[in-house]
Amino acid sequence: MCMSKLCNGAGSDGEDTVCEDSPKMNRNRLGRIIRTVLAEARKDSRLICGLLPAIACLDKAADETIMCLLAESRPGDSSAHLQTVLLQAFCYENYIPVIKVDSSEKLAELCGTTSDGGGGVGCQCAIITRDLTIPWNEDDNYSPPMNDVEQSLADFYEATLEEYPSPVVKLPR
């Protein structure tokens, strides 16, 4: 699905080494890239916001989903935490990249779901579905097609898949 960023061999100290020809990820730009992806998906009606709508979408059309953006769980909200853990597991099993973001309020703002009252309403999850105008490559039935910006986020996900704890992208205001 995404490009691998680590060499198969290990360095002289036994640690994995980054391949010389693999592109470096500029993590400072990721928040702006997410903002761009969300704006494009919202414009094209490919954006599903909210934990329960996202779960319903994944249940019906997981193969049409290209990415999941998940806000960090708030301390004390155990039911939402359990739902997000199950959502992450489902995405992992279905090869859907999950990118964690720093704030449900910022995610809601970027998704266009904030209320005018400013009562701290957030969006725990955003699902981006595939762009139907991009043809599906018959040779690659495994992953849905993505545009270049979406692919860069998927590449970031794969490059950081083995990092623990998972990196959290700081979203712009």
Side-chain angles (χ1 to χ4, degrees):
M1 177 159 141
C2 306
M3 300 181 335
S4 178
K5 303 292 187 252
L6 293 177
C7 295
N8 292 332
S12 59
D13 57 358
E15 296 292 318
D16 286 334
T17 56
V18 176
C19 296
E20 295 301 321
D21 58 344
S22 69
K24 303 286 185 202
M25 290 287 165
N26 183 348
R27 293 186 182 196
N28 296 329
R29 295 184 54 226
L30 286 172
R32 291 181 300 222
I33 291 171
I34 289 173
R35 179 176 52 197
T36 301
V37 167
L38 288 173
E40 288 176 6
R42 191 168 92 189
K43 180 185 70 157
D44 298 339
S45 299
R46 301 183 298 120
L47 182 61
I48 292 95
C49 297
L51 197 53
L52 295 178
I55 291 169
C57 173
L58 288 170
D59 184 43
K60 292 179 184 169
D63 56 339
E64 296 292 317
T65 302
I66 62 167
M67 189 171 309
C68 174
L69 300 171
L70 196 59
E72 289 189 297
S73 297
R74 293 183 182 160
D77 191 356
S78 58
S79 68
H81 176 72
L82 288 173
Q83 289 173 329
T84 59
V85 168
L86 292 172
L87 177 74
Q88 281 182 280
F90 182 87
C91 289
Y92 185 77
E93 288 178 359
N94 288 279
Y95 305 101
I96 299 168
V98 175
I99 298 176
K100 291 185 179 181
V101 297
D102 65 335
S103 167
S104 62
E105 287 80 16
K106 290 181 198 175
L107 184 58
E109 196 175 303
L110 294 174
C111 289
T113 60
T114 57
S115 64
D116 291 335
V121 176
C123 173
Q124 281 299 117
C125 178
I127 295 287
I128 301 166
T129 59
R130 82 177 189 93
D131 185 351
L132 297 175
T133 62
I134 302 174
W136 195 297
N137 183 357
E138 292 180 19
D139 296 334
D140 185 16
N141 290 330
Y142 196 60
S143 60
M146 298 182 206
N147 64 35
D148 291 340
V149 182
E150 293 164 346
Q151 186 63 52
S152 68
L153 286 177
D155 289 343
F156 166 76
Y157 166 77
E158 182 152 322
T160 60
L161 192 58
E162 307 248 342
E163 284 186 30
Y164 184 81
S166 299
V168 177
V169 177
K170 185 174 167 84
L171 293 176
R173 277 271 171 206

